[in-house]
Amino acid sequence: MGTRMSVQEFTGSEVHRNIQRRLLARHAEIAADPVLGNGGRVLNVLDPEAFGWDRLVAEVKQDSFVALTAVDRATVYDQVRAVFGTEVEVPSWDVFLGGSGIVGQRCTTLPDVLPEGWTFSSCAKPDPATIGAVQELNSLCGVAAMPAWYMRSDVVPQITTCIQTADGTLAACALVSDRYHVDGPLAGTAFLGSVSVSPDHRGKGLGVAVTAQALIDSAHAYGWTYVLSQAASDNAASRAMLERCGLIRDPTRVTVAINASGAAITR
């Protein structure tokens, strides 16, 4: 895929890399717990009450940040402040959800925007050149890149979808993972993230196109019932892209990070 990029088994700052090392080492424990998900870059806690706030305090003490994924918007901020006070940052992302029926209908009827000679590819175990190119594009777009072990589906199934130009250069990418426990709150739900479009090719509809292809191909691979994604309140482009692909904001849920590190997480 174009110029060969170096592959990063662990990505980001040393704080981020240490978290990723622990997520890899602890995956069996995480996978066995219905209220946890291995997010590759951060531990996902799907039900903080069931997990236990004392355990959550220990996780934050160890890793500096933890994500509370698709939790109750009405109560989570007060709960976090009651436990952690004002010593942590609590960045948040709106939750977007889509059912397989409407998402499939929307994604399969979108217009073809790829220029002649450009191609899609989707892979559960991308080669090193593809992993390196995706990590490079993520970083260029301000998206925290996934570690290579996660992109290879070493711990959870993941589809990496790419758009390549006619000369094989990566123009856009999106990732969909099957990361949630079959008996947990998000059973049957896949996670869409890391959508990135090269600055050289923005304004061409590639974000919608690569997202739609990732959703189509992951639905065939995983048979998911719902798909979940997240977008910040000020990220108008991502929100519009998700809505075009059939995902709708759930006003009752939010994803928050309990961040005691002072470091940025992702956009």
Side-chain angles (χ1 to χ4, degrees), residues 17 25 28 30 32 59 96 99 119 182 217 224 248:
R17 294 166 72 87
I30 295 167
E59 292 288 344
F96 288 74
T119 57
V182 294
D217 292 347
W224 48 259
I248 300 171

Side-chain angles (χ1 to χ4, degrees), residues 7 9 124-126 131 147-156 158:
V7 174
E9 282 298 306
K125 294 184 179 294
I131 292 173
W149 53 267
Y150 202 89
M151 291 182 64
R152 289 193 303 263
S153 302
D154 287 355
V155 296
V156 299
Q158 177 167 284

Side-chain angles (χ1 to χ4, degrees), residues 111-141:
D112 181 5
V113 299
L114 264 60
E116 184 176 356
W118 290 35
T119 57
F120 286 111
S121 66
S122 288
C123 186
K125 294 184 179 294
D127 60 33
T130 300
I131 292 173
V134 169
Q135 290 176 330
E136 183 77 12
L137 181 56
N138 290 159
S139 298
L140 184 65
C141 295

Side-chain angles (χ1 to χ4, degrees), residues 34-188:
V35 300
L36 296 182
N38 191 332
R41 300 167 302 192
V42 62
L43 180 68
N44 293 181
V45 177
L46 314 183
D47 185 340
E49 292 292 335
F51 184 66
W53 288 95
D54 288 345
R55 292 176 67 193
L56 197 55
V57 168
E59 292 288 344
V60 173
K61 184 176 181 180
Q62 174 178 257
D63 280 348
S64 298
F65 57 80
V66 172
L68 308 184
T69 300
V71 294
D72 180 45
R73 180 184 291 272
T75 60
V76 67
Y77 294 104
D78 288 343
Q79 290 171 326
V80 169
R81 290 305 180 198
V83 174
F84 293 94
T86 59
E87 300 304 310
V88 298
E89 296 176 356
V90 191
S92 65
W93 296 264
D94 289 335
V95 170
F96 288 74
L97 286 165
S100 57
I102 185 62
V103 169
Q105 190 273 332
R106 289 282 186 88
C107 290
T108 54
T109 55
L110 288 167
D112 181 5
V113 299
L114 264 60
E116 184 176 356
W118 290 35
T119 57
F120 286 111
S121 66
S122 288
C123 186
K125 294 184 179 294
D127 60 33
T130 300
I131 292 173
V134 169
Q135 290 176 330
E136 183 77 12
L137 181 56
N138 290 159
S139 298
L140 184 65
C141 295
V143 174
M146 282 291 186
W149 53 267
Y150 202 89
M151 291 182 64
R152 289 193 303 263
S153 302
D154 287 355
V155 296
V156 299
Q158 177 167 284
I159 295 289
T160 297
T161 299
C162 301
I163 294 175
Q164 293 94 7
T165 66
D167 68 0
T169 301
L170 181 64
C173 62
L175 311 179
V176 180
S177 63
D178 188 18
R179 64 174 63 167
Y180 303 122
H181 197 285
V182 294
D183 295 320
L186 293 176

Side-chain angles (χ1 to χ4, degrees), residues 8-28:
Q8 299 179 68
E9 282 298 306
F10 306 95
T11 64
S13 70
E14 194 57 29
V15 169
H16 296 97
R17 294 166 72 87
N18 284 337
I19 292 170
Q20 293 162 26
R21 292 184 183 102
R22 283 192 288 272
L23 288 171
L24 178 58
R26 296 175 57 197
H27 179 66

